[in-house]
Amino acid sequence: MDPISQGALGAVTSQNLVHRKHLAVACVLGLLSGMAADLDIFIRSDEDPLLFLQYHRQFTHSLVFIPVGGLICTSILYYFVRKRWQLSFRQVLLYCTAGYATHALLDSCTSYGTQLFWPFSDYRVSWSNISIIDPLFTLPIVVLIVLAAVKKKHVFTRIAGSLATCLPCFRFCTERASPVCRSGSRPIQRS
């Protein structure tokens, strides 16, 4: 997924865990943590130009790495928000881990897939129900998280969370329910 979608979903998840006075800071923490797993693109080698493809969506996107990724994000971001927002390390850890946890699941919704079960399996989970860049998914969520942060109302966050959950589920179910998907073959197109 694109970084904006990743950040938006991380922000929604973090915002759903906070008191309304912390909606703005939770938005920022979730947004940054939601994008952090893609920092694996900096794993590169001059000898092997395709090395980054091997590691992209691997260990940083694994379900077992979520607590580690959340802790890394917290370790960096805590010092920027602790005094101004009077947040404890535990609160920042909760918001960052929640934001980080969304990344791999959202990437699994694309056709490229994600190694969710690394190191136990190299299988790429791919539900193919969201495009890599999907404005119909991202734009409403971005608008709603901004409204939640500005107006300090959870209703916008709840709607954004519902959209972020329902849209991929709806696409997944409708795709699986079509006769083309059930038969496992594509219809013959006639000229």
Side-chain angles (χ1 to χ4, degrees):
M1 290 296 296
D2 64 287
I4 296 169
S5 300
Q6 295 290 3
L9 189 59
V12 165
T13 306
S14 295
Q15 281 183 327
N16 273 301
L17 301 173
V18 300
H19 186 271
R20 64 185 203 144
K21 73 177 185 176
H22 290 142
L23 280 170
V25 70
C27 179
V28 172
L29 292 171
L31 181 121
L32 294 173
S33 299
M35 294 187 294
D38 275 342
L39 292 175
D40 63 4
I41 63 166
F42 292 112
I43 299 173
R44 296 190 178 266
S45 168
D46 291 336
E47 290 81 37
D48 185 3
L50 297 177
L51 181 72
F52 80 97
L53 287 176
Q54 180 181 350
Y55 286 103
H56 184 53
R57 295 189 179 186
Q58 190 204 35
F59 72 95
T60 60
H61 291 62
S62 171
L63 295 176
V64 297
F65 194 78
I66 289 172
V68 176
L71 183 62
I72 291 169
C73 293
T74 303
S75 300
I76 295 166
L77 298 173
Y78 174 68
Y79 296 101
F80 294 105
V81 299
R82 68 180 172 152
K83 289 183 181 174
R84 168 132 168 56
W85 295 95
Q86 289 94 33
L87 292 173
S88 69
F89 187 84
R90 185 177 172 193
Q91 287 173 302
V92 176
L93 178 63
L94 175 66
Y95 308 152
C96 288
T97 303
Y100 193 92
T102 63
H103 191 104
L105 294 174
L106 188 56
D107 272 350
S108 295
C109 290
T110 66
S111 59
Y112 184 65
T114 304
Q115 292 182 20
L116 287 179
F117 305 111
W118 181 92
F120 309 109
S121 171
D122 289 338
Y123 176 74
R124 284 190 179 268
V125 176
S126 172
W127 296 311
S128 298
N129 56 353
I130 295 182
S131 300
I132 298 221
I133 298 175
D134 196 338
L136 294 175
F137 176 80
T138 307
L139 291 177
I141 294 171
V142 169
V143 169
L144 289 165
I145 62 171
V146 170
L147 282 172
V150 170
K151 298 201 179 255
K152 294 188 179 0
K153 294 193 177 193
H154 271 289
V155 67
F156 298 113
T157 301
R158 304 284 191 254
I159 294 169
S162 297
L163 280 173
T165 304
C166 291
L167 184 63
C169 290
F170 175 75
R171 288 180 179 173
F172 183 81
C173 291
T174 55
E175 180 180 301
R176 301 305 183 260
S178 73
V180 173
C181 291
R182 273 188 270 133
S183 69
S185 61
R186 298 191 181 271
I188 298 171
Q189 294 182 351
R190 298 178 191 241
S191 334

